[in-house]
mmCIF file of all heavy atoms in Angstrom:
data_model
loop_
_atom_site.group_PDB
_atom_site.id
_atom_site.type_symbol
_atom_site.label_atom_id
_atom_site.label_comp_id
_atom_site.label_asym_id
_atom_site.label_seq_id
_atom_site.Cartn_x
_atom_site.Cartn_y
_atom_site.Cartn_z
ATOM 1 N N LEU U 110 -91.966 -83.900 -86.107
ATOM 2 C CA LEU U 110 -91.568 -84.288 -84.775
ATOM 3 C C LEU U 110 -91.393 -85.805 -84.773
ATOM 4 O O LEU U 110 -92.368 -86.555 -84.988
ATOM 5 C CB LEU U 110 -92.592 -83.835 -83.751
ATOM 6 C CG LEU U 110 -92.182 -83.898 -82.281
ATOM 7 C CD1 LEU U 110 -93.071 -83.029 -81.434
ATOM 8 C CD2 LEU U 110 -92.217 -85.336 -81.720
ATOM 9 N N SER U 111 -90.204 -86.253 -84.466
ATOM 10 C CA SER U 111 -89.914 -87.690 -84.381
ATOM 11 C C SER U 111 -89.726 -88.099 -82.924
ATOM 12 O O SER U 111 -89.092 -87.377 -82.162
ATOM 13 C CB SER U 111 -88.652 -88.039 -85.163
ATOM 14 O OG SER U 111 -88.814 -87.757 -86.562
ATOM 15 N N VAL U 112 -90.268 -89.296 -82.561
ATOM 16 C CA VAL U 112 -90.212 -89.779 -81.206
ATOM 17 C C VAL U 112 -89.191 -90.904 -81.142
ATOM 18 O O VAL U 112 -89.203 -91.814 -81.998
ATOM 19 C CB VAL U 112 -91.587 -90.277 -80.730
ATOM 20 C CG1 VAL U 112 -91.484 -90.750 -79.274
ATOM 21 C CG2 VAL U 112 -92.640 -89.162 -80.864
ATOM 22 N N HIS U 113 -88.322 -90.881 -80.151
ATOM 23 C CA HIS U 113 -87.290 -91.913 -79.995
ATOM 24 C C HIS U 113 -87.262 -92.376 -78.571
ATOM 25 O O HIS U 113 -87.052 -91.590 -77.641
ATOM 26 C CB HIS U 113 -85.916 -91.333 -80.373
ATOM 27 C CG HIS U 113 -85.889 -90.770 -81.753
ATOM 28 N ND1 HIS U 113 -85.654 -91.521 -82.885
ATOM 29 C CD2 HIS U 113 -86.077 -89.496 -82.172
ATOM 30 C CE1 HIS U 113 -85.721 -90.739 -83.945
ATOM 31 N NE2 HIS U 113 -85.975 -89.524 -83.559
ATOM 32 N N ARG U 114 -87.483 -93.682 -78.363
ATOM 33 C CA ARG U 114 -87.484 -94.239 -77.017
ATOM 34 C C ARG U 114 -86.075 -94.719 -76.650
ATOM 35 O O ARG U 114 -85.504 -95.574 -77.342
ATOM 36 C CB ARG U 114 -88.475 -95.395 -76.904
ATOM 37 C CG ARG U 114 -88.515 -95.909 -75.472
ATOM 38 C CD ARG U 114 -89.296 -97.199 -75.349
ATOM 39 N NE ARG U 114 -89.136 -97.747 -74.018
ATOM 40 C CZ ARG U 114 -89.483 -98.991 -73.685
ATOM 41 N NH1 ARG U 114 -89.973 -99.815 -74.572
ATOM 42 N NH2 ARG U 114 -89.294 -99.399 -72.430
ATOM 43 N N GLY U 115 -85.545 -94.188 -75.565
ATOM 44 C CA GLY U 115 -84.251 -94.600 -75.106
ATOM 45 C C GLY U 115 -83.744 -93.645 -74.066
ATOM 46 O O GLY U 115 -84.349 -92.606 -73.767
ATOM 47 N N ASP U 116 -82.598 -93.967 -73.472
ATOM 48 C CA ASP U 116 -82.000 -93.175 -72.404
ATOM 49 C C ASP U 116 -81.144 -92.055 -72.976
ATOM 50 O O ASP U 116 -80.212 -92.300 -73.731
ATOM 51 C CB ASP U 116 -81.170 -94.093 -71.530
ATOM 52 C CG ASP U 116 -80.730 -93.433 -70.216
ATOM 53 O OD1 ASP U 116 -81.312 -92.359 -69.861
ATOM 54 O OD2 ASP U 116 -79.867 -93.956 -69.532
ATOM 55 N N LEU U 117 -81.517 -90.840 -72.643
ATOM 56 C CA LEU U 117 -80.741 -89.642 -73.087
ATOM 57 C C LEU U 117 -80.568 -89.655 -74.584
ATOM 58 O O LEU U 117 -81.559 -89.685 -75.316
ATOM 59 C CB LEU U 117 -79.445 -89.570 -72.327
ATOM 60 C CG LEU U 117 -79.569 -89.381 -70.788
ATOM 61 C CD1 LEU U 117 -78.211 -89.544 -70.121
ATOM 62 C CD2 LEU U 117 -80.168 -88.018 -70.464
ATOM 63 N N PHE U 118 -79.332 -89.640 -75.070
ATOM 64 C CA PHE U 118 -79.086 -89.541 -76.515
ATOM 65 C C PHE U 118 -79.019 -90.894 -77.246
ATOM 66 O O PHE U 118 -78.887 -90.916 -78.474
ATOM 67 C CB PHE U 118 -77.733 -88.827 -76.757
ATOM 68 C CG PHE U 118 -77.660 -87.454 -76.151
ATOM 69 C CD1 PHE U 118 -76.941 -87.220 -74.981
ATOM 70 C CD2 PHE U 118 -78.266 -86.368 -76.750
ATOM 71 C CE1 PHE U 118 -76.885 -85.965 -74.417
ATOM 72 C CE2 PHE U 118 -78.212 -85.106 -76.228
ATOM 73 C CZ PHE U 118 -77.509 -84.874 -75.056
ATOM 74 N N ALA U 119 -79.154 -91.971 -76.510
ATOM 75 C CA ALA U 119 -78.873 -93.300 -77.061
ATOM 76 C C ALA U 119 -79.747 -93.664 -78.251
ATOM 77 O O ALA U 119 -79.288 -94.358 -79.173
ATOM 78 C CB ALA U 119 -78.999 -94.360 -75.955
ATOM 79 N N ALA U 120 -81.010 -93.247 -78.262
ATOM 80 C CA ALA U 120 -81.931 -93.670 -79.302
ATOM 81 C C ALA U 120 -81.971 -92.743 -80.512
ATOM 82 O O ALA U 120 -82.644 -93.033 -81.487
ATOM 83 C CB ALA U 120 -83.347 -93.828 -78.708
ATOM 84 N N LEU U 121 -81.265 -91.655 -80.465
ATOM 85 C CA LEU U 121 -81.309 -90.693 -81.553
ATOM 86 C C LEU U 121 -80.570 -91.215 -82.772
ATOM 87 O O LEU U 121 -79.631 -92.009 -82.647
ATOM 88 C CB LEU U 121 -80.661 -89.364 -81.103
ATOM 89 C CG LEU U 121 -81.450 -88.591 -80.038
ATOM 90 C CD1 LEU U 121 -80.603 -87.442 -79.509
ATOM 91 C CD2 LEU U 121 -82.766 -88.074 -80.593
ATOM 92 N N PRO U 122 -80.957 -90.775 -83.961
ATOM 93 C CA PRO U 122 -80.277 -91.218 -85.178
ATOM 94 C C PRO U 122 -78.778 -90.917 -85.125
ATOM 95 O O PRO U 122 -78.383 -89.833 -84.693
ATOM 96 C CB PRO U 122 -80.968 -90.455 -86.291
ATOM 97 C CG PRO U 122 -82.319 -90.094 -85.740
ATOM 98 C CD PRO U 122 -82.101 -89.878 -84.270
ATOM 99 N N ALA U 123 -77.995 -91.878 -85.556
ATOM 100 C CA ALA U 123 -76.547 -91.679 -85.557
ATOM 101 C C ALA U 123 -76.154 -90.456 -86.371
ATOM 102 O O ALA U 123 -76.638 -90.264 -87.501
ATOM 103 C CB ALA U 123 -75.854 -92.917 -86.091
#
Side-chain angles (χ1 to χ4, degrees):
L110 193 161
S111 298
V112 182
H113 305 276
R114 183 190 172 194
D116 192 13
L117 297 170
F118 300 104
L121 293 170

